[in-house]
Amino acid sequence: SENRATAGRVKAKIKMKKAKTTPLFLYAGASLFFCIICFFTVDLSELDGSIPQQPIQPLVRKASPAANRSGATVELVKLQKARKEGDGPDKTMGYKIIQTLPHDSNAFSQGFEFLAGKFIESTGIKSSLREVDIQSGSVLKIHLLAQEHFGEGVTVFKGKIYQLTWRSKVCLVYDLETWEELNRFSYDTQGWGITHDHSHLIMSDGSHKLVFRDPKTFEITRQVQVKDPAHNNQDVRLLNELEYVHGEVLANVWFVDKIARIDPKTGLVLGWIDLQGLHPYRSATARGEDVLNGIAYDADRDRLWVTGKLWPSVFEIELTASAPPQAASGSEPTPRGPSHPGPAGSPVPLPVPPPAA
């Protein structure tokens, strides 16, 4: 009985201690909760006016560039490497269609450029400067040129758009964001194609020359004559729309379904990209004017597009190491075009296309 009494007294003491300590725990917990609430609700700028309030930026996860690269020019880079190692002249390249996209079939395409997920396009006849959605082909923005100007090549360089005109011999310079005209430069030749090598503008005038110009003054800094060493160094005339890719100038040749790969240092043709058969169904109403003319390149994701005058399609392509069967067989492509000499009655004769390499 004494043991039971002793146990009872011990239990009573424990209960008394718990009753005394419980309020302490409750008080400590409430104090901690109050401190947390204060910490998250106090405006730090009220404590110190020198601390600016910074907006919370959303977390943006960028996909790996390698995962998004299409590999359009992988074979081109391989050819460049092989040439440096002395493996002989480059072979004629071919193409593989990645996807076919819609294009305004009324657009007489003279200049074609990729920029920030859209196309910048210059058109002739109904001359304009356009911003075009890649997937839908919809014209998102348009600037119509005055009637005296026939739109030609276009390129974007350091926040400015440079648009050539054909016979009015004027380069129109616009602000990239507002499309406000900033300047006009004059030149002595016709204007056909234009691109840049990240330091100079590179211009074609329908001849066999590439002219390098200062982007600030449009003054000529140098020029090269384009010749094909694989065919007795013959002049490659009627160079049209241009694009700068991996240190080479890719050039459309008027009325030829080939793209010339040109060394900008020497003017020598390094090889050809044969696009025969890319768009065989020409418009009957185009009177032969719907020729290949338009090259756009996305360097970040290695994507390449081509189109033509009055074409209803833009083709995203991948360059291949082998040419189409007709070119591989050594047959010479037949020049297409109207019976009259040159676009809009120009005195320029039809070209003789280079033989297949």
Side-chain angles (χ1 to χ4, degrees), residues 66-113:
N68 287 325
R69 291 181 69 82
S70 100
T73 61
V74 170
E75 293 298 329
L76 174 63
V77 174
K78 288 182 180 178
L79 284 180
Q80 291 178 331
K81 183 178 179 181
R83 186 174 63 255
K84 290 179 180 179
E85 294 174 352
D87 288 351
D90 291 356
K91 298 178 181 178
T92 296
M93 303 188 73
Y95 65 93
K96 178 174 71 174
I97 297 176
I98 303 301
Q99 62 175 330
T100 303
L101 302 165
H103 179 250
D104 182 1
S105 59
N106 294 314
F108 199 77
S109 303
Q110 299 289 72
F112 202 52
E113 181 108 342

Side-chain angles (χ1 to χ4, degrees), residues 180-245:
E180 176 187 0
E181 186 177 321
L182 301 176
N183 206 346
R184 292 189 178 196
F185 295 119
S186 60
Y187 42 88
D188 296 331
T189 63
Q190 294 183 3
W192 284 46
I194 190 169
T195 186
H196 67 83
D197 61 1
H198 309 294
S199 59
H200 293 88
L201 301 175
I202 307 172
M203 176 180 164
S204 67
D205 58 12
S207 70
H208 65 293
K209 298 178 182 179
L210 291 180
V211 178
F212 294 73
R213 295 181 178 272
D214 186 316
K216 294 181 179 180
T217 64
F218 219 65
E219 293 294 326
I220 296 176
T221 59
R222 68 184 184 95
Q223 58 184 358
V224 295
Q225 297 183 6
V226 178
K227 297 178 179 293
D228 189 349
H231 299 97
N232 300 319
N233 280 326
Q234 66 176 342
D235 295 339
V236 181
R237 300 173 56 246
L238 302 173
L239 300 172
N240 207 348
E241 214 269 333
L242 308 175
E243 185 73 16
Y244 190 80
V245 179

Side-chain angles (χ1 to χ4, degrees), residues 22-43:
T22 297
L24 293 176
F25 282 112
L26 291 175
Y27 177 79
S31 299
L32 179 61
F33 179 77
F34 178 78
C35 291
I36 293 173
I37 294 298
C38 290
F39 177 81
F40 284 103
T41 56
V42 169
D43 187 346

Side-chain angles (χ1 to χ4, degrees), residues 282-329:
R282 301 307 213 274
S283 169
T285 61
R287 295 178 298 177
E289 294 281 9
D290 50 346
V291 297
L292 175 71
N293 197 47
I295 311 167
Y297 181 60
D298 174 8
D300 291 335
R301 295 178 59 185
D302 194 22
R303 296 184 295 172
L304 185 67
W305 298 268
V306 293
T307 191
K309 304 178 183 183
L310 307 176
W311 283 21
S313 304
V314 170
F315 298 94
E316 181 183 351
I317 63 171
E318 179 181 310
L319 302 182
T320 61
S322 58
Q326 182 179 357
S329 67

Side-chain angles (χ1 to χ4, degrees), residues 4 178 201 273 345 354:
R4 286 196 296 272
T178 65
L201 301 175
I273 302 168

Side-chain angles (χ1 to χ4, degrees), residues 108 254-255 286-289 336-350:
F108 199 77
W254 188 45
F255 281 115
R287 295 178 298 177
E289 294 281 9
R336 297 178 301 96
S339 57
H340 64 80
S346 77
V348 183
L350 292 178

